[in-house]
Amino acid sequence: MLSNRSLLILTTAVAPALWGTTYLTTTMLLPPDRPLLAATLRALPAGILLLMLARRMPHGAWWWKSWVLGVLNIGAFFALLFIAAYRLPGGVAAVVGGISPLVVAVLASRLLHEKLTLRVIVAGSAGVVGVSLIVLQAQSRLDAIGVLAAFGGTLSMATGIVLSKKWGQPAPPLATTAWQLIAGGLTLLALLLVFEGLPSEPLTATNLLGYAYLSIVGTAVAYLLWFRGIARLPTSIPAFLGLLSPVVAILAGWLIAGETLTPPQCAGIVIVLGAVAVAVSGRPRWVASHPRVTTLD
């Protein structure tokens, strides 16, 4: 029988696994060249749905804290991610994202006083190597703006993870996830209206199916599990679980789209899985039984 800790790790791992299906969903079901529309329709409807279920609004300082976390974890992260995706080969952007566990570990050591261990450093370095083998192509090119956007997105998400842990949760995850998704979604909506505009052609049934999947499954469900894990686990564990996203993406392409797997990619998958296993196999201090929840009533 799985322990509470193991079950929490597995449920948190569902989030990056679902994110790994985003690329395939986007290429197969969504209209091309509409990144901000996709990001907005992922975040905002999901946040509204969760808020309707939670029926709880932020109080006091959590109005601005929810906005900060929503921008870091959703709004800025999604926007920078799409800029990087458009200006860089996907492999380069993914490799930059692969340094996230190390960035989170450094930030957590400074802001949360979590110990920066040799286990985390070695596993994080191995994770970068594994992701590189999975996604990096020999013909990959570099673009200064794209690289800066990729690093900015990684830093935004890493900072969001650490601040989410530092500030705790003033309400159940259903409510706090809703607040962040709405804040991030409204930020993305503003960017959409300024830089991309509303679609000039009606969306097809296939497009709507893709957006519904990304919003409900890939965002509402995934982020609910993700923020729940961040609140109850040491910050390094969710950060390393994020490395599962490119593994699921490459396997989904192989199983569904008929893409081929090369020996270096197979080796990269093994290395990433090994790095994640090493990172989560320790017994660090965690708070699953008593998550920090501040009563607002």
Side-chain angles (χ1 to χ4, degrees):
M1 182 179 295
L2 292 174
S3 66
N4 290 338
R5 179 179 185 274
S6 297
L7 185 60
L8 181 59
I9 291 173
L10 288 175
T11 55
T12 305
V14 171
L18 291 174
W19 296 334
T21 65
T22 299
Y23 175 77
L24 197 62
T25 303
T26 301
T27 56
M28 295 180 65
L29 301 178
L30 301 189
D33 302 325
R34 302 301 311 229
L36 290 176
L37 177 64
T40 304
L41 291 182
R42 279 188 66 183
L44 195 53
I48 293 172
L49 173 63
L50 293 183
L51 186 62
M52 291 173 62
L53 295 174
R55 294 186 295 179
R56 185 165 182 172
M57 299 294 288
H59 288 194
W62 273 94
W63 281 102
W64 68 263
K65 286 184 177 181
S66 296
W67 194 271
V68 170
L69 293 177
V71 170
L72 289 172
N73 286 317
I74 311 295
F77 174 66
F78 279 9
L80 291 170
L81 182 68
F82 281 121
I83 292 172
Y86 267 77
R87 301 188 69 100
L88 294 173
V92 175
V95 169
V96 175
I99 70 171
S100 180
L102 292 175
V103 177
V104 168
V106 172
L107 289 176
S109 69
R110 305 297 297 177
L111 298 178
L112 303 177
H113 306 292
E114 292 187 5
K115 188 176 181 181
L116 183 61
T117 65
L118 181 62
R119 173 196 292 269
V120 169
I121 295 173
V122 172
S125 301
V128 175
V129 172
V131 171
S132 301
L133 291 173
I134 292 173
V135 299
L136 196 58
Q137 304 298 318
Q139 67 272 21
S140 295
R141 69 190 187 283
L142 296 180
D143 172 89
I145 295 177
V147 171
L148 288 175
F151 274 111
T154 298
L155 182 60
S156 178
M157 185 67 161
T159 305
I161 290 175
V162 175
L163 283 181
S164 296
K165 185 71 174 180
K166 183 178 179 63
W167 288 342
Q169 290 197 354
L174 191 67
T176 55
T177 303
W179 303 343
Q180 292 191 48
L181 287 173
I182 290 176
L186 289 174
T187 303
L188 288 165
L189 178 61
L191 294 174
L192 168 68
L193 295 176
V194 172
F195 294 106
E196 194 174 285
L198 297 175
S200 56
E201 299 180 0
L203 300 174
T204 67
T206 300
N207 297 156
L208 294 174
L209 177 64
Y211 286 126
Y213 170 79
L214 289 180
S215 183
I216 297 172
V217 179
T219 303
V221 174
Y223 273 98
L224 181 60
L225 295 173
W226 182 248
F227 290 134
R228 177 174 176 267
I230 288 175
R232 301 183 178 191
L233 291 167
T235 51
S236 63
I237 292 182
F240 273 94
L241 292 177
L243 297 178
L244 297 176
S245 186
V247 172
V248 172
I250 196 72
L251 291 177
W254 174 58
L255 291 171
I256 299 174
E259 298 175 0
T260 58
L261 278 177
T262 65
Q265 287 175 325
C266 294
I269 291 172
V270 172
I271 292 173
V272 167
L273 294 179
V276 173
V278 168
V280 305
S281 62
R283 291 287 175 180
R285 180 175 57 87
W286 67 304
V287 291
S289 298
H290 304 284
R292 195 172 96 190
V293 176
T294 304
T295 301
L296 295 177
D297 297 331

